[in-house]
Amino acid sequence: GAVVSQHPSWVICKSGTSVKIECRSLDFQATTMFWYRQFPKQSLMLMATSNEGSKATYEQGVEKDKFLINHASLTLSTLTVTSAHPEDSSFYICSLTGTGLWTQYFGPGTRLLVL
Amino acid sequence: GIQVEQSPPDLILQEGANSTLRCNFSDSVNNLQWFHQNPWGQLINLFYIPSGTKQNGRLSATTVATERYSLLYISSSQTTDSGVYFCAVTIQGAQKLVFGQGTRLTINP
């Protein structure tokens, strides 16, 4: 499998600020990365799919100008929540896949609290 | 789009008990997986099982693709089995996983 890290693991910020979350593949070159959000006691909701070097593909209803995704290399993808508001508070999880992997491997998640 | 339904939504058991979790899906799938989300939020791959039966220790899974359901069996439950179990599917030609709503399992000592 693949080992995936996320940083930070949790973050508290004030309303109106921007927050960047990093997702790193520690031992695998990930051609595709995914970003999910999960509200308490709910399922995972896919936000966007990103391929290295290409623009991300966003799911219906996800604002691409609010959730900026950059997949700059085969080992790093970032999600920036711009002008965060309390309703953006959630658990954000990344996953990755690539050649030779039969499934997605998930990071440990980032808890975001916007005050 | 495809619908994935899991049952039961919640399950509370005593340590040592056995359990069966069910996943129904509304259309043909290319891939079906079971995940365990531990209390800290980490998702762990349990099974990749588009069809047939697989076993891994106390856990086993069966998917009957023609009838569009999958079952996850947990035997001799331990407190560390607590968490949320998700079923997720992909359809032909797509990479993205569609998750069910999960079954929240609580194992009491």
Side-chain angles (χ1 to χ4, degrees), chain A residues 36-108:
Chain A
Y36 298 82
R37 65 189 298 183
Q38 185 180 30
F39 292 108
K41 299 198 175 184
Q42 292 189 21
S43 188
L44 280 76
M45 182 192 79
L46 180 65
M47 300 174 67
T49 303
S50 73
N51 293 297
E52 186 262 342
S54 302
K55 288 185 178 180
T57 301
Y58 290 80
E59 294 298 302
Q60 192 172 7
V62 178
E63 300 174 59
K64 61 181 180 180
D65 294 329
K66 181 164 187 64
F67 299 99
L68 302 179
I69 292 172
N70 184 0
H71 190 165
S73 75
L74 290 173
T75 59
L76 174 64
S77 177
T78 60
L79 167 68
T80 301
V81 183
T82 62
S83 187
H85 289 98
E87 58 265 29
D88 299 322
S89 299
S90 189
F91 189 48
Y92 292 88
I93 309 171
C94 72
S95 71
L96 59 85
T97 192
T99 303
L101 292 184
W102 50 264
T103 184
Q104 297 177 25
Y105 287 87
F106 287 80

Side-chain angles (χ1 to χ4, degrees), chain B residues 12 16 32 60 62 65 75 78 87 92:
Chain B
I12 301 174
L32 186 143
S60 64
T62 295
S75 64
Q78 300 175 359
C87 165
Q92 187 72 31

Side-chain angles (χ1 to χ4, degrees), chain B residues 28-39:
Chain B
S28 298
V29 299
N30 192 46
N31 174 16
L32 186 143
Q33 296 176 238
W34 284 97
F35 294 90
H36 174 216
Q37 187 172 37
N38 67 22

